[in-house]
Amino acid sequence: MSTDLLAADTRMGAVTLRVADLDTMTAYYRDAVTLSVLSTSASEVVLGRGAEQVLRLVHAPELRHAPSRSAGLFHTAILFDSEADLATSVHSVASRHPGTYTGSADHLVSQAFYFTDPAGNGVELYTDRDRSAWSWTHGQVEMATLMLDPNRFLREHLDPAAVAAAAARPATVGHVHLCVGDVDSARRFYVDQLGFETTAELGNTALFVSAGGYHHHMAMNTWQSRGAGRRRLTLGLGLVRIEVPALDDLGALTDRLGFFGVETRDDGRTVEFEDPWANRIQVRAA
């Protein structure tokens, strides 16, 4: 295994969002997206499925929204195991908060539906097609943005049994998509230094990266944020968590980041650092 790459079994962990209205945001992700509340306190609510954390909502009413065209979160992508599970969540959000729906797409590797939560954070709900159906050319995966009719999808896949079992069905963070200032800097940081591999590129506007041959664990685009500098402390994205299989993988990453001069905070089980736009990243040994 190359010490220049993240381990093949690397996966995404919970995304932390700073929110001004904790009750409204909790209700959206619990009642509409159909996540479960795993723990709660006066200042934080953790949502997910089973023991799997998906979102951590941190109450920060003193903060303001970021200016438009800033770096930060493009969307958190929540991955469901089946089309029936995805249809359950999509139908729930569309029924309870129809105004938050922003679109849908068949990406060849996946089927996805897009929303904007009450605080303006992007949300993708999706399910993957089997990896045997993915097509790779010269190390890059074929993805597209094709029409996906939401009404037809729901007619074909909404299943009362899946709706009844939703709370017991898996849901994870499949990938995290960021807004950044430029793709070249994103490539140097996330590929050359952090150790993801490039899986797709859209010219100089978007980069998709992963570990272990997934279509993408992270993406970065400049569609709304070209030229953006470092973020200030605002509402929105607080932390992106990445989980590696073992402490040895964490040690190799820490050494690699040190070689490139990336400032880190290491407590032996996690290492935290910032990307060039002050998006906070935490890598944890599972």
Side-chain angles (χ1 to χ4, degrees):
M1 180 181 297
S2 172
T3 57
D4 294 332
L5 296 176
L6 290 168
D9 291 338
T10 295
R11 60 194 296 272
M12 302 307 293
V15 170
T16 298
L17 299 178
R18 302 188 193 99
V19 304
D21 189 332
L22 189 58
D23 290 342
T24 295
M25 291 288 281
T26 299
Y28 182 84
Y29 285 101
R30 180 193 62 212
D31 302 334
V33 179
T34 70
L35 299 179
S36 300
V37 173
L38 304 184
S39 67
T40 184
S41 70
S43 60
E44 181 180 80
V45 175
V46 180
L47 299 108
R49 290 278 183 85
E52 184 78 26
Q53 296 184 7
V54 173
L55 285 173
R56 303 175 69 92
L57 305 179
V58 176
H59 195 211
E62 72 282 2
L63 298 180
R64 296 186 177 185
H65 289 283
S68 62
R69 307 193 68 81
S70 296
L73 183 67
F74 189 66
H75 61 236
T76 300
I78 301 174
L79 173 63
F80 296 90
D81 268 15
S82 70
E83 291 169 320
D85 294 334
L86 174 60
T88 296
S89 184
V90 170
H91 180 264
S92 178
V93 181
S95 299
R96 292 174 179 270
H97 293 272
T100 67
Y101 173 74
T102 59
S104 59
D106 181 338
H107 293 305
L108 301 180
V109 295
S110 63
Q111 298 173 93
F113 296 84
Y114 297 93
F115 300 86
T116 301
D117 74 18
N121 301 296
V123 184
E124 176 182 340
L125 308 178
Y126 79 109
T127 189
D128 282 331
R129 287 198 167 91
D130 190 85
R131 288 196 182 206
S132 64
W134 302 358
S135 178
W136 293 80
T137 303
H138 303 302
Q140 298 211 3
V141 68
E142 183 180 357
M143 293 191 288
T145 301
L146 306 178
M147 179 182 175
L148 176 60
D149 184 333
N151 293 314
R152 180 177 178 179
F153 182 87
L154 292 178
R155 285 196 302 269
E156 292 179 350
H157 300 294
L158 191 61
D159 180 349
V163 173
R169 296 289 296 156
T172 62
V173 177
H175 63 269
V176 177
H177 197 145
L178 300 177
C179 301
V180 300
D182 71 279
V183 167
D184 287 342
S185 296
R187 184 183 297 104
R188 283 194 297 272
F189 183 80
Y190 284 98
V191 176
D192 299 342
Q193 300 177 13
L194 184 50
F196 281 117
E197 295 179 278
T198 298
T199 57
E201 297 177 83
L202 295 177
N204 64 349
T205 68
L207 173 71
F208 300 81
V209 302
S210 83
Y214 190 54
H215 54 74
H216 66 294
H217 285 112
M218 295 194 72
M220 307 92 206
N221 77 66
T222 62
W223 301 328
Q224 303 166 3
S225 55
R226 180 174 296 278
R230 290 177 63 81
R231 298 175 59 207
R232 298 183 304 217
L233 185 63
T234 64
L235 295 170
L237 181 63
L239 182 75
V240 174
R241 178 180 289 168
I242 300 168
E243 297 185 350
V244 295
L247 286 172
D248 286 349
D249 302 308
L250 193 66
L253 171 63
T254 304
D255 290 345
R256 185 164 66 249
L257 294 175
F259 174 81
F260 286 106
V262 177
E263 184 177 343
T264 61
R265 185 172 66 191
D266 183 358
D267 65 6
R269 295 292 300 184
T270 65
V271 58
E272 289 192 16
F273 47 91
E274 293 181 346
D275 77 1
W277 299 276
N279 294 306
R280 195 76 183 166
I281 312 294
Q282 180 192 79
V283 182
R284 183 177 71 170

